[in-house]
Amino acid sequence: VAGYVATDSEIFADWRLMIGTRYEDSTQRTETRAPTGGSPVTTELSEAYALPAVTLTWSFLEDMQLRAAYSQTINRPDIREISPAAYLDPVDRDVYVENPDLEIAEIDNYDLAWQWYYTEEDSIEIGGFYKDFSQPIEETLLTRGSTLLRTYENAESAVLYGIEVSQRQSLAPLGDWGRWFYYKANGAWIDSEVEIDQDNITQTNDKRPLQGQSPWVVNLQLTYDSLPRDIQATLAFNMAGERI
């Protein structure tokens, strides 16, 4: 069950304030049965949240603005991650053993961005972001005898921060043919640190970057968009730094 309420208003001539809250009440319940029969193992994760969001925008020029935002979000474990059953990953062939004691991760998000809309279609944005995690869900290793398995655990906390630059630009200045083409470019530098509770998780370090988080990411996109021909085609490129 979910719902939200929000308001958007101009508090001064050049200032805009958006305030809202999203309410979510969810229950994730699994029943895991052995192939040989017997009573099922039941897990249930039930929580309710009121998640606020605030955005303040200052349009200090006709085509430029500063935007500051704060929001709370959550990250629920997957149904498969809380079912106490093992499965074989079809891609890397690793065996995963799930954790019925996983909790929902809570995240505080802070964003600040400068945005310039220098034409009706084209824009550039430079922004910074900071995220504070409580009980982030991390993929970890588990040893059972001589077998090395993978599982999921809640870490104590984590922070993530970075800078992002993005642009959308039409190719019309290059000639009449260019009016059907535009490119989008996006790049981000990201740093993170997760704090591990060594009493619950066996790790080589009690502090490290978040599992799966690259220190940098680059995205490029070239699009042909012709309304008269009713054709749209996109060539995309993505590159990311090394990650755990």
Side-chain angles (χ1 to χ4, degrees):
V1 177
Y4 73 93
V5 59
T7 178
D8 184 355
S9 59
E10 292 186 3
I11 53 177
F12 300 108
D14 302 324
W15 293 82
R16 180 179 172 186
L17 179 65
M18 291 187 289
I19 301 176
T21 299
R22 176 179 174 85
Y23 176 78
E24 295 188 12
D25 190 347
S26 68
T27 299
Q28 295 171 264
R29 190 173 188 273
T30 69
E31 288 188 1
T32 305
R33 298 175 183 270
T36 55
S39 300
V41 178
T42 302
T43 64
E44 185 171 306
L45 182 58
S46 181
E47 293 286 350
Y49 291 91
L51 305 169
V54 179
T55 301
L56 180 64
T57 304
W58 177 30
S59 301
F60 58 94
L61 292 177
E62 185 177 350
D63 56 356
M64 282 189 196
Q65 65 182 29
L66 281 174
R67 178 178 53 81
Y70 166 77
S71 64
Q72 287 184 349
T73 55
I74 56 175
N75 178 27
R76 294 185 182 88
D78 187 89
I79 288 290
R80 186 173 56 182
E81 295 171 359
I82 62 174
S83 172
Y87 73 93
L88 180 68
D89 187 280
V91 177
D92 57 27
R93 312 302 292 176
D94 287 328
V95 177
Y96 284 75
V97 178
E98 307 317 321
N99 182 359
D101 297 322
L102 279 179
E103 299 290 341
I104 296 173
E106 301 176 9
I107 311 165
D108 291 306
N109 308 279
Y110 305 85
D111 298 274
L112 180 64
W114 168 78
Q115 299 166 319
W116 179 23
Y117 301 93
Y118 50 91
T119 73
E120 291 184 356
E121 297 181 340
D122 303 325
S123 64
I124 186 170
E125 177 177 339
I126 302 174
F129 52 88
Y130 181 89
K131 298 178 182 293
D132 188 0
F133 296 77
S134 176
Q135 299 188 113
I137 300 170
E138 288 281 286
E139 182 179 321
T140 64
L141 297 177
L142 177 66
T143 302
R144 286 188 176 176
S146 60
T147 304
L148 190 63
L149 308 173
R150 294 181 181 270
T151 187
Y152 297 91
E153 294 279 359
N154 289 104
E156 283 191 5
S157 62
V159 295
L160 180 146
Y161 51 89
I163 299 173
E164 183 177 17
V165 179
S166 59
Q167 183 185 27
R168 184 202 187 278
Q169 174 64 55
S170 168
L171 300 189
L174 300 181
D176 187 61
W177 61 269
R179 62 196 178 107
W180 307 117
F181 290 87
Y182 67 86
Y183 76 81
K184 290 183 178 181
N186 170 276
W189 169 85
I190 308 163
D191 196 10
S192 64
E193 183 178 83
V194 58
E195 186 169 343
I196 306 296
D197 183 356
Q198 292 284 21
D199 293 336
N200 297 327
I201 305 175
T202 301
Q203 297 284 305
T204 55
N205 298 291
D206 58 1
K207 291 185 179 180
R208 56 166 173 73
L210 280 163
Q211 183 267 331
Q213 177 62 65
S214 296
W216 56 268
V217 177
V218 173
N219 298 288
L220 300 174
Q221 174 183 319
L222 178 64
T223 298
Y224 172 75
D225 191 3
S226 174
L227 288 177
R229 296 182 177 88
D230 197 24
I231 295 175
Q232 184 180 78
T234 297
L235 178 65
F237 170 82
N238 168 266
M239 190 172 183
E242 292 183 348
R243 56 198 171 200
I244 298 175

